[in-house]
Amino acid sequence: MTTRAEPMGGPLDTPLTRVLAGLFGLAMLAIAWRLIAGLGATTALNDGYPLGLWIAFDVVTGTALACGGYAVALLVYILNKGRYHPLVRPAMLTSALGYSLAGVGVLLDVGRWWLIWKVPVYFWHWNFNSALLEIALCIMSYVVVLWIELSPALLEKFVDSTILPLRRVARRLPPVIERASLFIIALGLLLPTMHQSSLGTLMLLAGSRLHPLWRTPLLPLLFLITCLSMGFAVCGVRVGVLERRVQAAARDADARAAGHGHRAAAADHGGAAARRSLVAGEPRAPPGR
């Protein structure tokens, strides 16, 4: 079964987008304050308590909510449930946006954020016993893999572009990605499996600061299972919202078609009445009366 993605359409300037734009503006102010005042002044964290509620929310919970692509890819490509393949592209888009935002959050959570580029580059300084290093490398790599997987969809509209270099890239890159799709999908399944379970390992390193209820060696497995359930839940919510949008658009189209049909029927009826009056010899009323 082949499917073709099409835009939903509809206005962008809605009350919801205005609310989100307002929240975005407030977030920009908070980010500016963090960059100017520093991490300690804005979060009240210190070396004794370096991880607060925010890091658990934006990284641990945020990346789990962005695991829709991982969950759907596991369902389609590993469990061979091909009927769910139309969900792959929107799920991958959600994961790419969610993980990219999580990466921005980590960048802001790091004290000396201007040195974070050294993590993947200075490999001779890596601590191979560090769970946090594995998480950082996997998340960075997974963001790149997600955008590579989405690049054919992003380039579709540029296939007939008037800009020659862009048109060449839009025509040549998707076949290359298609041939390498096996390795890309394999990486897209391996990397989240590694870092989602390692997030549970990271929480275990908190030791006595972690509540005894969660202090179990099974915590990495629990994190992995939780991220899958959250990924499927997000996909379910998205499908429900899109289904409502599609049904509303279909009802509007049917209403417009019915309105046009009524007007056409009224016009036909009026024309038939005029023809009958002319045949009967009755004077035709002038227009507007």
Side-chain angles (χ1 to χ4, degrees), residues 171-206:
R171 292 182 178 182
R172 295 178 182 178
L173 185 60
V176 175
I177 296 176
E178 181 68 23
R179 289 193 294 269
S181 60
L182 178 63
F183 303 100
I184 295 174
I185 292 172
L187 276 176
L189 292 170
L190 174 66
L191 293 172
T193 303
M194 294 174 62
H195 70 254
Q196 287 295 338
S197 58
S198 295
L199 285 171
T201 304
L202 183 65
M203 299 305 291
L204 283 176
L205 297 178

Side-chain angles (χ1 to χ4, degrees), residues 8 243-258:
M8 286 290 298
E243 185 178 3
R244 291 186 61 184
R245 288 283 305 275
V246 170
Q247 291 176 351
R251 286 194 298 267
D252 292 341
D254 292 341
R256 288 194 297 269

Side-chain angles (χ1 to χ4, degrees), residues 33-47 49-50 108-112:
W33 181 36
R34 178 261 177 272
L35 295 177
I36 294 173
L39 195 62
T42 54
T43 64
L45 299 178
N46 51 47
D47 291 339
Y49 292 90
L108 297 172
D109 289 334
V110 174
R112 292 182 290 179

Side-chain angles (χ1 to χ4, degrees), residues 1-5 72 76-77 81-92 238-239 242:
M1 181 182 64
T2 58
T3 58
R4 180 176 178 82
V72 174
V76 173
Y77 298 115
K81 303 296 183 181
R83 64 181 179 272
Y84 298 109
H85 191 271
L87 298 177
V88 171
R89 179 181 287 190
M92 289 296 176
R238 182 178 59 249
V239 169
L242 290 179

Side-chain angles (χ1 to χ4, degrees), residues 17-31:
T17 56
R18 294 175 184 175
V19 171
L20 294 177
L23 293 175
F24 180 78
L26 294 176
M28 289 298 101
L29 294 176
I31 290 174

Side-chain angles (χ1 to χ4, degrees), residues 106-206:
V106 171
L107 181 66
L108 297 172
D109 289 334
V110 174
R112 292 182 290 179
W113 54 270
W114 58 89
L115 299 178
I116 198 170
W117 62 271
K118 292 185 176 182
V119 174
V121 175
Y122 283 30
F123 58 90
W124 55 89
H125 289 160
W126 285 355
N127 178 12
F128 291 98
N129 296 319
S130 172
L132 192 57
L133 173 67
E134 189 264 345
I135 293 171
L137 293 177
C138 284
I139 289 181
M140 290 179 180
S141 303
Y142 188 49
V143 171
V144 175
V145 169
L146 285 171
W147 287 111
I148 290 176
E149 288 181 329
L150 278 174
S151 59
L154 299 176
L155 293 173
E156 282 181 354
K157 63 185 299 183
F158 301 109
V159 172
D160 298 323
S161 175
T162 56
I163 304 175
L164 182 59
L166 189 58
R167 186 169 69 243
R168 287 178 177 175
V169 172
R171 292 182 178 182
R172 295 178 182 178
L173 185 60
V176 175
I177 296 176
E178 181 68 23
R179 289 193 294 269
S181 60
L182 178 63
F183 303 100
I184 295 174
I185 292 172
L187 276 176
L189 292 170
L190 174 66
L191 293 172
T193 303
M194 294 174 62
H195 70 254
Q196 287 295 338
S197 58
S198 295
L199 285 171
T201 304
L202 183 65
M203 299 305 291
L204 283 176
L205 297 178

Side-chain angles (χ1 to χ4, degrees), residues 55-111:
I55 191 69
F57 179 78
D58 66 348
V59 177
V60 179
T61 307
T63 56
L65 288 171
C67 275
Y70 172 50
V72 174
L74 191 65
L75 182 67
V76 173
Y77 298 115
I78 301 300
L79 301 181
N80 200 25
K81 303 296 183 181
R83 64 181 179 272
Y84 298 109
H85 191 271
L87 298 177
V88 171
R89 179 181 287 190
M92 289 296 176
L93 177 60
T94 303
S95 293
L97 294 175
Y99 268 89
S100 299
L101 290 175
V104 174
V106 171
L107 181 66
L108 297 172
D109 289 334
V110 174

